[in-house]
Amino acid sequence: MEVLALVKLALDTGQLRMNESKVDIDATPLKISDIDRSAVEEAVRIKEKVGGRARVIAVLKYGPLPKRQQEAESLLREALAMGADEAYLIVDNALVNSDQLLTAKAIAATVKKLGNYDLIIAGEATIDGYTSQVGSRVAAELGIPVISFVRELRVEGNKVTAKRDLEDAIQTVEAQLPALVTVTREINVPRIPPLLQIRAAMKKPINKLSLADLGISMKSLAEIVNIAPIQVKRKGVIIKDGTVDEKVDKLTQALIQEGLITPR
Amino acid sequence: MNMTKVLVIGSINDTGLIGLAQKVGNPEIHYLVLGTGDTSQLGKYGVTKAYLLTAQVDETSFAETLIGVINSNNYSVVIAPASKFFKTAIPISAQKLLAPVIVDVLDLKQSDSAFEVTYNGVGNRAQVTVKVSDKVFLIAPPARFKPSEKATTVSTESLQPKVVTGVKVVSTEEKPKGKVRIEDAELIVSVGRGFKKQEDLKLAFELAEVLGAEVGCSRPIAADLKWLSEDHWVGLSGHKVRPKLYMAIGISGQPQHLAGMMEAKTVVVINSDPNAPFFKNCDYGVVEDLYKFVPALTKKLREILKK
Ligand SMILES: Cc1cc2nc3c(=O)[nH]c(=O)nc-3n(C[C@H](O)[C@H](O)[C@H](O)COP(=O)(O)OP(=O)(O)OC[C@H]3O[C@@H](n4cnc5c(N)ncnc54)[C@H](O)[C@@H]3O)c2cc1C
């Protein structure tokens, strides 16, 4: 089985560098988007069960590229340490802050370049963009079925069966391979690789590709004109000393002062 | 300014997105109704044409059907409600029509043929504005917008879906439905994985009852453990709340949770770990074991409020 996992090297929104007027994207560290860890985990589990290969594909979306490439490679090492066999990193200035149309074109072109594949696994959404677009777009580009929001996945022979987690229902669906699924974070608990595997990952290949390598010459159609931070100032009063009852008293006093409760 | 053709998609009762369509410079608004309904009522908001798609179709079939509609009438802006169905279907259409999709849209301005679209981005921590020209797809919650009234007559056309086989639905199991409208709650007591067992949530429910609050929760409580129905779920992938008081108990305060309760006026955090990230984003933070603190707080509030 040839399984591909799509991995976003996302802005670590928990460590966003920002002040009142500016979000400093360039200075914000990246991390593997949480749900994409589940995508890698699921790909590796399928490989372990039925044999074959699990490879990961990532598109670098944030600049400055000279600085980011190193960061991207060490993040991809994490996926390789989890058990992926090989990584493909698409790096091109035209992809920095580009729209998902171009991202999907780049991913689909990479998939085609790799040749045979059976299953592509992506996260349901990423922690930074949170638009849920890329999986469906890649499937559309490749002309294969897409099954989104999957929380249980079974691959048997040439068929995939999935439980989709929708707003009002759990839907069970089937499709023939090749297909693309997007998974929710509830599908599994991503493993934490042991040191030995982390070392072994250093030897696994990370292949770099540019848009020219992929034969793509198109530009992003959406251009970012402004990013205005949403910031909330909080009082930050920490109640940590004293007995439980003393803490209760301090908090209830505060609630009364804030006008949230009125003693009777 | 020339007329800009806008297509809004939704059920007959969910017409809020027409409000977003009306922000287009000089719009000619058409509406694609999913399901059934009296299309003449859309004329109240300036809609001149309605498509009726009564057949139930999957996302891929809908995407193909939509491409047909868009190609036949060359819409510049296509607007769909935020739901998992459309978050799957719309990108398929957009990829094939070479167009961007902007999700969680807040506002739109048009100048000549370009659109400036503002949306919640960067993990809901920023409002991002992008410029797009030509064709664009927008996704937003209908309740965010309110259409203004402008009477017109509506012509109606029935749509035959273009059915694509590929994904076969084997079975559908309805989820238990809750009754909570957490988005509207004034006071919220919210629970996270700090609670060790489902039965222990009664501590939070007792506290909520004394306060007259609704109970909210973090994602794992609803999505993973299923201790509460999804209408309680607060966060980036859950409900966005804006209460006067948000009391987070046994919740660590990951950015995806914070994204749902940023607009709360006063935030109280109860967590046994002094290093929990939520303490950096609270007005009052109590470092204590919830199993000791919550019963004591409930008792004290009962006395104060004479309940
Ligand atoms: C794309 C994406 C979307 C997401 N959307 C959401 C979302 O909408 N909403 C959401 O909530 N999460 C969301 N998440 C998940 C989020 O990242 C966190 O995993 C989640 O919020 C953690 O839930 P928690 O705080 O309940 O659990 P944990 O992070 O496990 O925290 C439990 C907390 O309880 C404390 N605790 C333990 N025992 C006690 C005790 N006895 N007394 C007091 N405190 C105690 C611990 O110190 C800890 O801080 C999303 C994640 C991703 C990747």
Side-chain angles (χ1 to χ4, degrees):
Chain A
M1 182 85 45
E2 292 283 352
V3 191
L4 304 170
L6 308 185
V7 169
K8 169 114 182 237
L9 310 172
L11 292 174
D12 186 343
T13 51
Q15 297 194 56
L16 210 57
R17 302 284 190 268
M18 63 182 202
N19 58 33
E20 284 85 41
S21 61
K22 188 170 175 254
V23 181
D24 193 349
I25 300 277
D26 288 1
T28 297
L30 306 182
K31 67 184 277 198
I32 293 182
S33 182
D34 302 45
I35 305 180
D36 293 347
R37 266 180 202 283
S38 296
V40 174
E41 175 67 35
E42 202 62 21
V44 171
R45 285 187 193 183
I46 292 170
K47 174 188 89 166
E48 287 169 348
K49 204 163 153 211
V50 303
R53 255 192 310 191
R55 294 180 284 179
V56 301
I57 301 175
V59 175
L60 194 50
K61 301 274 289 183
Y62 302 107
L65 286 188
K67 169 194 141 194
R68 292 294 193 189
Q69 289 197 43
Q70 194 58 46
E71 200 181 352
E73 285 187 31
S74 50
L75 289 174
L76 287 174
R77 296 269 172 228
E78 293 178 24
L80 295 171
M82 286 173 72
D85 299 288
E86 214 173 323
Y88 291 82
L89 176 64
I90 310 162
V91 188
D92 200 304
N93 253 319
L95 287 162
V96 173
N97 294 324
S98 68
D99 58 18
Q100 294 84 352
L101 168 64
L102 189 52
T103 307
K105 288 245 176 224
I107 292 171
T110 307
V111 171
K112 284 184 194 152
K113 208 180 166 78
L114 299 189
N116 275 350
Y117 66 96
D118 299 294
L119 182 65
I120 305 176
I121 308 179
E124 61 159 306
T126 58
I127 54 162
D128 49 356
Y130 203 70
T131 72
S132 296
Q133 287 184 50
V134 171
S136 290
R137 281 183 179 273
V138 169
E141 195 68 33
L142 293 169
I144 58 174
V146 56
I147 309 175
S148 54
F149 305 101
V150 169
R151 62 174 302 155
E152 253 180 74
L153 187 62
R154 218 174 54 231
V155 184
E156 273 165 337
N158 204 24
K159 193 178 82 181
V160 57
T161 308
K163 274 197 173 160
R164 301 181 66 204
D165 196 344
L166 303 176
E167 281 95 348
D168 305 327
I170 302 283
Q171 191 182 53
T172 306
V173 302
E174 285 175 2
Q176 296 292 314
L177 299 177
L180 185 147
V181 299
T182 76
V183 297
T184 76
R185 68 197 303 277
E186 289 76 27
I187 193 166
N188 59 39
V189 179
R191 71 192 67 189
I192 297 167
L195 195 62
L196 209 64
Q197 296 234 25
I198 296 172
R199 284 225 195 89
M202 297 308 288
K203 294 199 197 72
K204 293 182 181 175
I206 296 179
N207 310 286
K208 264 189 241 140
L209 295 162
S210 68
L211 288 186
D213 295 333
L214 296 168
I216 297 171
S217 60
M218 112 180 245
K219 278 220 235 7
S220 175
L221 299 174
E223 177 205 345
I224 296 180
V225 289
N226 189 40
I227 303 182
I230 306 171
Q231 240 190 356
V232 200
K233 283 256 179 298
R234 299 275 177 212
K235 295 198 173 92
V237 178
I238 304 296
I239 303 167
K240 60 173 191 297
D241 299 322
T243 64
V244 171
D245 285 334
E246 284 163 1
K247 291 176 186 173
V248 166
D249 283 342
K250 281 185 194 153
L251 181 63
T252 45
Q253 281 311 314
L255 294 177
I256 291 168
Q257 227 162 40
E258 294 282 349
L260 290 163
I261 55 171
T262 323
R264 302 220 290 164
Chain B
M1 202 192 284
N2 283 334
M3 286 270 229
T4 303
K5 287 190 173 178
V6 185
L7 180 68
V8 181
I9 305 168
S11 76
I12 195 79
N13 299 319
D14 227 355
T15 48
L17 292 175
I18 298 172
L20 178 55
Q22 289 170 340
K23 290 174 182 275
V24 170
N26 185 14
E28 178 182 341
I29 304 174
H30 295 178
Y31 200 103
L32 197 168
V33 182
L34 285 164
T36 50
D38 171 17
T39 52
S40 68
Q41 70 188 69
L42 296 167
K44 189 162 72 177
Y45 304 117
V47 172
T48 50
K49 177 170 185 173
Y51 300 94
L52 257 180
L53 180 64
T54 45
Q56 278 223 3
V57 289
D58 69 3
E59 289 98 335
T60 312
S61 301
F62 179 78
E64 291 298 336
T65 310
L66 180 61
I67 289 172
V69 172
I70 294 170
N71 282 340
S72 72
N73 224 333
N74 204 18
Y75 296 99
S76 301
V77 182
V78 178
I79 307 177
S83 72
K84 290 180 177 176
F85 182 88
F86 290 112
K87 282 188 169 183
T88 307
I90 294 295
I92 300 176
S93 304
Q95 188 70 17
K96 295 194 170 176
L97 295 171
L98 300 178
V101 179
I102 318 290
V103 177
D104 210 357
V105 172
L106 298 163
D107 201 5
L108 174 147
K109 285 192 189 73
Q110 186 179 10
S111 57
D112 300 321
S113 65
F115 304 100
E116 281 203 359
V117 186
T118 302
Y119 63 94
N120 282 321
V122 204
N124 207 22
R125 309 253 343 245
Q127 296 192 350
V128 184
T129 304
V130 289
K131 198 170 174 173
V132 291
S133 47
D134 203 22
K135 202 183 266 344
V136 65
F137 290 75
L138 309 177
I139 293 180
R144 185 174 287 159
F145 304 94
K146 205 171 157 23
S148 51
E149 303 207 356
K150 179 189 171 213
T152 46
T153 45
V154 187
S155 70
T156 301
E157 181 184 326
S158 281
L159 273 187
Q160 286 310 312
K162 193 164 171 228
V163 177
V164 182
T165 54
V167 179
K168 188 175 129 209
V169 178
V170 180
S171 64
T172 304
E173 178 196 330
E174 297 287 317
K175 282 186 186 175
K177 270 204 190 64
K179 290 189 290 291
V180 180
R181 290 223 8 124
I182 199 83
E183 306 93 315
D184 302 335
E186 292 254 298
L187 306 168
I188 298 174
V189 168
S190 204
V191 299
R193 276 217 312 232
F195 287 80
K196 303 286 172 286
K197 296 197 303 291
Q198 184 170 10
E199 301 92 88
D200 300 345
L201 295 185
K202 77 169 190 293
L203 297 175
F205 275 94
E206 282 164 8
L207 173 59
E209 203 200 317
V210 174
L211 281 167
E214 293 286 4
V215 173
C217 70
S218 66
R219 174 165 172 150
I221 299 294
D224 189 5
L225 302 167
K226 300 192 169 70
W227 289 352
L228 291 174
S229 56
E230 292 181 10
D231 47 338
H232 296 268
W233 168 354
V234 173
L236 183 63
S237 48
H239 299 281
K240 312 275 187 296
V241 298
R242 44 196 319 174
K244 286 195 291 196
L245 171 67
Y246 191 78
M247 195 181 286
I249 308 175
I251 300 177
S252 56
Q254 294 305 314
Q256 297 83 29
H257 186 79
L258 302 181
M261 42 68 64
M262 276 183 322
E263 290 183 66
K265 196 142 168 299
T266 301
V267 177
V268 171
V269 167
I270 297 154
N271 199 303
S272 51
D273 174 8
N275 296 317
F278 225 143
F279 284 125
K280 292 202 185 74
N281 287 285
C282 70
D283 294 294
Y284 301 95
V286 182
V287 183
E288 186 55 82
D289 183 347
L290 74 90
Y291 286 92
K292 294 186 190 138
F293 187 79
V294 175
L297 178 63
T298 306
K299 182 162 172 274
K300 178 83 183 182
L301 287 172
R302 267 207 188 100
E303 285 164 19
I304 297 180
L305 300 170
K306 308 244 178 326
K307 284 208 176 160

